[in-house]
Each structure stands twice: as structure tokens, then as C-alpha cells.
Amino acid sequence: MSDARAAIFGQLRAGLGKGDATARRAALEAALAQPPRGPQPQRPADLAARFRGRAEALSSTVDAVAARADVPAAVLRYLGARGLPPQAVATPELAGADWGALSLRFAAAVDADSVGISGCFCAIAETGSLMLLSAPETPATVSLLPETHIALVDVHRIVPTMEDAFALLRTERGRLPRAVNFVSGPSRTGDIEQTIVLGAHGPRHVHLILIGS
Amino acid sequence: MSGASQAMHFKARAGDKLADRILQGALKKAQPLFTAKRRKGMASLAADGLDFAAMRAAAQAIRQRVLDDLDVWLEIFEARAVAAGAEVLWARDGAEAARLIVELAQREGVRTVTKSKSMLSEEAGLNAALTAAGIRPVETDLGEYIVQLAQEPPSHIIAPAVHKTIAQVEALFAEAHGRPQLARTSADIPKMADEARQVLRRDFLAADMGISGANFLIAETGSAALVTNEGNGRMVTTLPRLHVVLTGIEKIVPTLEDFATLMRLLPRSATGQDISNYVSLLTGSRRDGDLDGPQKTVFVLVDNGRAGLLGGAFEPMLRCIRCGACMNHCPVYFALGGHAYGWVYPGPMGSVLTPLYTGLENALDLPHASTGCNQCGSVCPVGIPLPDLLHGLREAQNARGLRPPGERLTMRLWGWLARHPRSYRLLIRLAARYLHWLGDDDAAGRRIRIFGLAPAWTAGRDLPVGPGRSFFEQYAARKRD
Ligand code: SF4
């Protein structure tokens, strides 16, 4: 134990004047197993519509397709309309599918990648956010370094709130990955005269493809 | 930039800041934008069926629950952060924190450090310490980058360069990026942001160490929570091989659910956004098989005066979640800007924190830098009674004999008068007549231009003239009618 640690804890305990840290710790740790939620927002009637509305308000663009099989065509359409070549870096979890005319590299992103394609763990209707988890098959850089991030969102994976996203994470994964990233639209800054500019350091364009209905 | 406080020069600086036309222009432009943003955020809260008062009560309870057992929450956080693969270091003050980080950087052969905004780094004077050790710190939040180029401290906790005009930023960029200066209008702001993006991208990729703050530390999971809009926080915590989280020991939040509650208030209070663009929870370091992320994550948890506030009258200040709403709604802040406050934290929260963290005797004016309007207290998302705490600091100054003798004598006389109503009324009668007599007539009406007993009051404004009779006299006269 460092001197600093001992000194800080000594002062904390003197200020609190509570004694018996062991018993208090047991009680607080027990309470962590049943975390209560704070005040919850109204649940929207249509989760996908709410998600889409919020995402668009955050300057993401949104497309919708009926099934996974329609995704490559939707990506090609989007890249074509933006005048971008049909190539991208993509998270390795997407490697199994048939990507047709698209030339994809399944890896972590590097600076030269201009388009990154990822899925998402789930999406949050309340704020129009994607929840991305880092893992070997879902490296975090794919949604970070490229100028354009295309994310695939299964409409069945849209949950009402951040608390619901955490509940899903607890049941499906148990523990937190190195990085949980909630991404809500393109990167932005307002640091020069409070004028909002998109594409500060992260992606300038976030394009969402909703799958299913 | 350093951890040293200049807070003793508040009054002298205030005069300079009031006379600085460029600063006054920048502040005038910024204030309505800040308040409008929060109003929008509050409207969206209401649109979701959430009541600000209820949300604030919940947020306050979460933060207070942490303070009630802060020692134990820190133990739980430490145990879980270590179990997830991070290292946890402790520092009693800013200098110790800076030393730990410099030593770590030297051991690991670090040459360039990219930084995402950390107010604790300012408390610690970390950039100066790194530079002195031959390590290059690069601030990557655009606002922080601008003030680093200007070799100034930030003037606002969430908008560090709010005091800079576009022309000043252009001059800094031209010099730092080695190009001629151009005439810029607001239409050029995207170009300027892009220029910074290109320059800083190289540093993101080259840095060996990333240093971030943490908006919160989640006890349940041992994670750092980071909230940014630019994405620089993600860069700094993903690309370099080392990640250092430098933050204060009071930043704990028990659970992910509690974090979700606070996240409904933090961005809305700060910038009016329902959510910031990037919200990251960082737990441990690169896992087996991961293709990116730092190999090593080190938390440096700093006291620097915080532990001493527990259990005392100023404990509520530790609930602060650094949203900036109090300064965004403060008439004193917008008259002077953040630099007048002389240390790391400006505005009402700074006027409370600076004397507490750097010594009452080193910031004598700050507890008085308030109009008592309580705008700050009414917008604070964790219910900190900022005006009450400022009053408490004034009382503490008085108790420690830190007020000037003249003021203490006046207060004692006032105390005596307040307990002797006859003498009080007599004096007030005389004073009312004297003040009436002092006034001059001119086209604008009757005003007191120079008030000899307290000339500072009339140095920048006139006093209105009273009716020449005390309240008691007028009351008695009306009762007779
Ligand atoms: S004191 Fe309150 S309003 Fe001011 S920064 Fe802290 S939390 Fe925000």
C-alpha cells in the first residue's frame, strides 16, 4: 500500500467518522447485485421510428432494408451516391456474409481507411445511439478512424433506454469488454465561437442501415 | 500553464477584463448561446416525460450516496478495476500526480502524449511537468488545443476557448501550422476545424501514451466513463499503447444504472444535447485477441483537497459533475470570463473550489464574486447550494481573521446597531438625508456620482438617489394618513 493511499484513506475515514469499513463494504457490494433504475422516460410506441428520428436529428443518415441480404446493395448505393469507391474496412464479425461487388478488408482500421462498416451490439431509441462493444471480431477503430462510418442496425436490437442496453449486456455478455462505445451521430465540435462543425476527430458521416421491420 | 493559483489578483484582473473589448465581445456572443442550449435540453427532458426537479433529486441522491461512503466505494472501484486488468495509483496532490505520470512515461520510453480534456491535469500543472521532462504533451480537444497554442489555461470547463474570437484562433493556427494568416469569417470555421483535425490526426497515430480524465468512475465495473463530442477521447484511449486516466477521487458512481441517470442530465446541462456524441466505458486494457486498444491502463486518482471536505460544511461541493451550467448562468462569469478567477475552475463552482483546494487565504476575493442571484444554484443538476457555500466561505474568512480590519470594524458596528434599534433608526434617518443630499441633478435624473465613503461602488456606475427619509419614517407617515 502506498503512503499516498494510506494518507488519503486515513483522511477520508476521519472525515466520515463511520468506522467498520468491512461491514459497510459487504452491504454496498450486496446492493450492487440489484441496481435500481432512476426515473425512466416515457416508452415510445414505435422504437424503430423513435430511433430513426433521433439519429437523423443527430445528423446521421438512415436507410432501411427488409433483410440482411439487402445490405450489400444498400452499401453500394450509399457509396455510389457519395462518389466513393466500393471498398471499406469492416469488423471481422461481418466476414461470413456474401458482400458481392464490395471489396472489404476485415480488420482493425488504419488511418488510410476512408470507410468503416460495423454492426452494433444494440441501439438505443431514447437517444438514437449505437452501442458498440470492443472484441476481437469488433475492433473499436472501425467506427473511429474512417471519415465515413456505416453501421448495420437490426431493428429487433433497438431497446428503449441505456438501462435496457446495460440489461442486455449483463445477460448476454456478463462482463464489460475493454470498451463500450455509445456513438450518437458524426463527431462534432463547437469550440470555435460555438459554431457546430461535423467531423472534428472522428467520422464526418455516420450512415445507418436499419434491417427488418 | 501550471497548477499555481493567481486567484489573489482577482480584483486587479477584473478591471483588466472589463476593459478588454475583444474579450467582452466574445463573452457577449457566447452567453445567450449557452443559456439557450440548456433551455433546449430541459425542454427535451420534459418532452420525454421527465421532470427536472425529480431528475435532480435522483442525481443528487446518487452523488450523495457516494460521498456518504466514499472510502468504501473507492475500495470497491479499485478492486474491480484491478481485477479487470488496470493499475490504480494514488496521489495526495497535483504535484504527486504529475510526478507519478512523468515517472511512468519515462519508464515506458514515452516521447509524445496525446491528451483528452482533464481538469485535473490543470490542477496538477501536468503539461509543464511533462515538457520539463522532455515529453511532448498535445491537447487534442479543439478548445484545449487552441488554449495550449496560446499558452493560456482554459477559461471554461467545457468550452476552454470560449474567450477566443475567430481572428485570434486564426492567428494561432497560422503561426503553429506555419502558413500565412488569412481573413476569416464564421463560414471558414469548418475549414479551420479540419486543419486542426489533419494536424492532430498525426499526433493521435504517433503518441505512445494517451491521458484522459474521467467524467465518472463506475464502482460496479471498475470502469472510467468518458463523455466527448469530438471523438478525441476515443482516439486518446484507443490508439496509444498506454492509457492513463487522471481524475479526482470524488468521481465515483456506484452502478451503470446510476450512470445512465446522470447521463440524462450532464449533456443537457452542459450543451443542451440529449446525449454527447461519444460516451465510452473503459474497463481494463486490451483483451486476448483484441486487435486494438491500449496494452496498459493506469488510473491516477488524486485527492488534492477533496478528502478534507468530507463530513464538513462544504461537502456538497464534491457532488459536482463539472457540467458548467453554473458559470453559463452567472452574471459575474460573463462580465469577466474565466481567466479572472485565476486558477483552474471559474464561475460559481470555481469560486467555491479555488479557496477550498488552494487555501482560503490565497483566494480572498472569490467568495465575494457573486451577486447572490442564485441562478447557479437553480440550474445545478446535483443541487449544490452554491450561494450558501459562498456565504459559508465568507464566514470562514471572517472567523480566521482574513478580512481587512476596516471591514471587520464596520461589521462589528453594524452588529451593535442591529441590536440597538433606537440608535439604528437614528443613524438610518441621518444616512437617508445624507444620501439624498449627495445626489446631483442632471438630464438623466438625480444620481449619486461619487460616493466618498465607498468610492469603489461608484467607480463604474452611479447610485440611484433615495427619497431622503427612512423606511420607518415613511411607514409611520402613511399610517397617519
Ligand atoms: S456546481 Fe453544479 S452546475 Fe456547476 S459545474 Fe458543478 S454540477 Fe454543474
Side-chain angles (χ1 to χ4, degrees):
Chain A
M1 196 194 286
S2 74
D3 291 351
R5 189 187 187 283
I8 293 169
F9 276 79
Q11 201 177 7
L12 287 172
R13 291 191 167 131
L16 288 168
K18 285 193 162 180
D20 199 7
T22 324
R24 284 187 293 133
R25 178 160 174 183
L28 293 180
E29 287 203 306
L32 285 181
Q34 303 277 332
R37 290 186 179 193
Q40 295 293 289
Q42 278 155 8
R43 197 191 152 94
D46 182 342
L47 286 180
R50 162 85 184 209
F51 174 78
R52 186 176 182 146
R54 284 294 146 134
E56 284 169 344
L58 292 163
S59 312
S60 296
T61 50
V62 185
D63 192 2
V65 299
R68 282 250 148 196
D70 305 323
V71 168
V75 172
L76 280 170
R77 227 175 20 246
Y78 172 75
L79 293 177
R82 293 253 334 268
L84 295 167
Q87 62 193 41
V89 63
T91 50
E93 67 163 352
L94 301 175
D98 173 11
W99 287 92
L102 275 165
S103 145
L104 300 186
R105 190 170 62 82
F106 300 98
V110 295
D111 189 40
D113 289 310
S114 58
V115 178
I117 306 179
S118 78
C120 64
F121 174 72
C122 70
I124 298 170
E126 181 184 0
T127 51
S129 311
L130 304 170
M131 186 193 205
L132 308 175
L133 307 183
S134 71
E137 65 281 5
T138 51
T141 39
V142 172
S143 60
L144 181 62
L145 289 173
E147 283 224 340
T148 298
H149 174 208
I150 300 175
L152 317 183
V153 183
D154 192 328
V155 292
H156 302 296
R157 298 290 288 183
I158 300 176
V159 297
T161 65
M162 191 183 267
E163 285 92 330
D164 296 311
F166 288 139
L168 209 56
L169 179 66
R170 285 197 181 102
T171 28
E172 293 183 6
R173 301 285 170 108
R175 72 180 199 137
L176 262 60
R178 179 192 70 79
V180 176
N181 287 302
F182 295 97
V183 173
S184 310
S187 127
R188 67 185 63 210
T189 181
D191 273 345
I192 304 179
E193 295 198 341
Q194 296 207 65
T195 303
I196 298 298
V197 177
L198 297 184
H201 291 301
R204 239 180 257 280
H205 306 275
V206 173
H207 183 64
L208 307 176
I209 301 178
L210 301 184
I211 305 166
S213 55
Chain B
M1 204 178 302
S2 88
S5 170
Q6 300 290 318
M8 279 307 274
H9 308 297
F10 180 78
K11 271 193 188 155
R13 276 164 184 258
D16 296 349
K17 300 298 174 193
L18 285 169
D20 181 341
R21 303 283 278 276
I22 296 177
L23 174 69
Q24 291 296 325
L27 292 171
K28 215 182 195 133
K29 213 163 163 178
Q31 179 168 31
L33 298 173
F34 276 126
T35 48
K37 282 178 185 171
R38 181 178 175 278
R39 265 201 305 282
K40 190 172 143 245
M42 292 301 122
S44 91
L45 201 63
D48 277 350
L50 292 167
D51 170 43
F52 175 64
M55 288 301 294
R56 163 152 79 179
Q60 176 170 337
I62 289 168
R63 295 292 295 136
Q64 191 55 47
R65 181 164 174 248
V66 167
L67 299 180
D68 288 344
D69 288 290
L70 184 58
D71 56 338
V72 172
W73 286 118
L74 283 165
E75 278 182 2
I76 296 174
F77 172 80
E78 181 184 41
R80 297 186 180 206
V82 168
E87 198 178 316
V88 179
L89 303 177
W90 303 84
R92 275 162 286 204
D93 55 26
E96 190 167 23
R99 187 171 53 72
L100 287 172
I101 293 173
V102 168
E103 281 170 10
L104 174 68
Q106 284 171 333
R107 252 198 327 276
E108 299 277 349
V110 169
R111 310 254 301 272
T112 300
V113 172
T114 42
K115 296 180 68 205
S116 155
K117 213 154 78 62
S118 153
M119 294 311 290
L120 226 141
S121 162
E122 305 290 335
E123 285 185 42
L126 179 60
N127 286 356
L130 287 167
T131 309
I135 298 158
R136 189 170 72 101
V138 183
E139 294 290 348
T140 64
D141 171 270
L142 182 57
E144 290 279 349
Y145 177 66
I146 292 167
V147 297
Q148 190 186 24
L149 291 181
Q151 298 184 302
E152 287 173 14
S155 72
H156 188 287
I157 61 170
I158 57 157
V162 63
H163 60 291
K164 289 277 182 229
T165 61
I166 187 170
Q168 291 173 321
V169 176
E170 168 62 15
L172 291 167
F173 278 16
E175 198 196 327
H177 304 157
R179 59 163 179 79
Q181 201 170 319
L182 304 168
R184 297 290 204 183
T185 67
S186 354
D188 299 311
I189 292 176
K191 261 184 251 161
M192 296 169 71
D194 190 53
E195 184 178 330
R197 175 189 171 106
Q198 309 296 338
V199 170
L200 290 169
R201 183 57 78 100
R202 289 198 291 275
D203 290 319
F204 283 130
L205 295 165
D208 326 273
M209 178 189 269
I211 300 178
S212 71
N215 293 83
F216 301 107
L217 302 169
I218 317 272
E220 176 193 358
T221 56
S223 318
L226 212 62
V227 180
T228 76
N229 279 318
E230 297 184 0
N232 61 317
R234 286 194 63 193
M235 295 278 183
V236 161
T237 61
T238 306
L239 299 176
R241 63 190 153 86
L242 285 163
H243 172 208
V244 173
V245 183
L246 172 61
T247 197
I249 55 170
E250 87 285 18
K251 289 286 182 81
I252 299 269
V253 163
T255 66
L256 294 171
E257 278 70 13
D258 294 332
F259 171 69
T261 296
L262 292 171
M263 282 309 296
R264 289 198 177 90
L265 282 179
L266 173 60
R268 284 182 169 106
S269 300
T271 53
Q273 292 168 281
D274 297 344
I275 185 90
S276 304
N277 287 70
Y278 299 104
V279 176
S280 302
L281 298 171
L282 303 164
T283 313
S285 50
R286 188 186 287 217
R287 306 277 166 87
D288 281 350
D290 274 1
L291 304 177
D292 50 25
Q295 261 124 34
K296 184 170 171 153
T297 300
V298 181
F299 286 89
V300 178
L301 305 185
V302 189
D303 175 7
N304 208 28
R306 289 157 173 80
L309 303 187
L310 271 192
F314 300 104
E315 184 187 279
M317 197 59 226
L318 293 175
R319 293 201 296 260
C320 177
I321 57 172
R322 305 288 191 264
C323 71
C326 55
M327 60 199 73
N328 290 346
H329 292 76
C330 178
V332 178
Y333 178 90
F334 275 100
L336 305 175
H339 286 161
Y341 293 80
W343 194 54
V344 175
Y345 301 104
M349 54 86 83
S351 292
V352 177
L353 282 177
T354 304
L356 291 174
Y357 287 178
T358 68
L360 224 48
E361 66 285 1
N362 295 320
L364 288 178
D365 293 329
L366 292 187
H368 304 264
S370 156
T371 66
C373 67
N374 192 35
Q375 289 234 57
C376 51
S378 71
V379 296
C380 177
V382 285
I384 299 174
L386 290 152
D388 293 351
L389 298 184
L390 289 170
H391 281 137
L393 286 167
R394 294 182 199 178
E395 282 165 17
Q397 287 183 344
N398 203 48
R400 282 195 28 203
L402 290 170
R403 298 309 301 163
E407 184 184 304
R408 275 186 290 156
L409 181 67
T410 314
M411 287 296 169
R412 265 213 298 285
L413 284 174
W414 186 257
W416 184 88
L417 276 173
R419 277 175 280 124
H420 296 84
R422 280 167 176 276
S423 313
Y424 176 86
R425 282 181 205 170
L426 179 65
L427 183 82
I428 293 299
R429 277 175 178 226
L430 293 173
R433 282 165 180 77
Y434 171 67
L435 286 174
H436 189 72
W437 172 81
L438 260 188
D440 295 328
D441 284 310
D442 79 356
R446 205 168 158 84
R447 321 278 296 167
I448 299 173
R449 289 178 213 296
I450 301 166
F451 183 41
L453 288 176
W457 275 29
T458 46
R461 73 202 141 179
D462 295 340
L463 278 181
V465 170
R469 289 191 307 154
S470 73
F471 174 80
F472 272 110
E473 287 176 272
Q474 293 185 61
Y475 185 76
R478 285 205 195 167
K479 228 160 106 184
R480 275 199 302 275
D481 291 346

